[in-house]
Amino acid sequence: QVQLVESGGGLVQPGGSLRLSCVASGSIFSVSGMRWYRQAPGQERELVAAISRGGNINYADSVKGRFTISVENVWRTVYLQMNSLKPEDTAVYYCNAVAWDTREYWGQGTQITVSS
């Protein structure tokens, strides 16, 4: 089992920056990759960024060049640095861990609101 706790959400003005953190605990050795998803009201959950132990990193087209995913502390913490935020980035952001056996684990989510 893997437990995930996100932090760093809040209200930010357009053009601003935020950094989300996700602290993982439990069977970290079983994790093959970490992802950030987001879900806006009335919309489906979408993949924002992903990083694998093999070093592969992927971003949604809508956030390329603005968001950066990274891991530290032997994969116990994953970050999402968000720059040049836009109102359309407003959503609940979720941390997700994928295990080698394909099981997935989710954090509780953190709200990001981009508004002036």
Side-chain angles (χ1 to χ4, degrees):
Q1 292 288 321
V2 177
Q3 295 78 42
L4 304 171
V5 179
E6 302 106 332
S7 61
L11 173 65
V12 62
Q13 292 187 344
S17 298
L18 280 176
R19 189 176 77 161
L20 301 182
S21 300
C22 174
V23 176
S25 60
S27 303
I28 306 301
F29 63 89
S30 70
V31 173
S32 65
M34 300 289 286
R35 303 167 179 171
W36 285 97
Y37 284 80
R38 67 186 181 187
Q39 187 167 22
Q43 297 187 21
E44 294 186 356
R45 192 171 295 189
E46 66 168 339
L47 178 62
V48 175
I51 186 168
S52 72
R53 286 196 187 262
N56 293 319
I57 295 176
N58 293 286
Y59 296 98
D61 288 343
S62 58
V63 307
K64 281 181 181 177
R66 300 188 298 122
F67 290 12
T68 303
I69 188 171
S70 61
V71 292
E72 290 185 2
N73 196 18
V74 200
W75 278 74
R76 292 194 176 277
T77 306
V78 59
Y79 299 103
L80 184 67
Q81 177 66 43
M82 305 182 293
N83 299 327
S84 301
L85 283 161
K86 305 175 181 180
E88 51 263 44
D89 294 319
T90 295
V92 178
Y93 284 71
Y94 296 91
C95 180
N96 167 273
V98 183
W100 294 106
D101 64 2
T102 73
R103 280 186 291 181
E104 296 190 40
Y105 304 92
W106 293 89
Q108 80 284 359
T110 185
Q111 175 72 46
I112 303 297
T113 301
V114 184
S115 175
S116 55

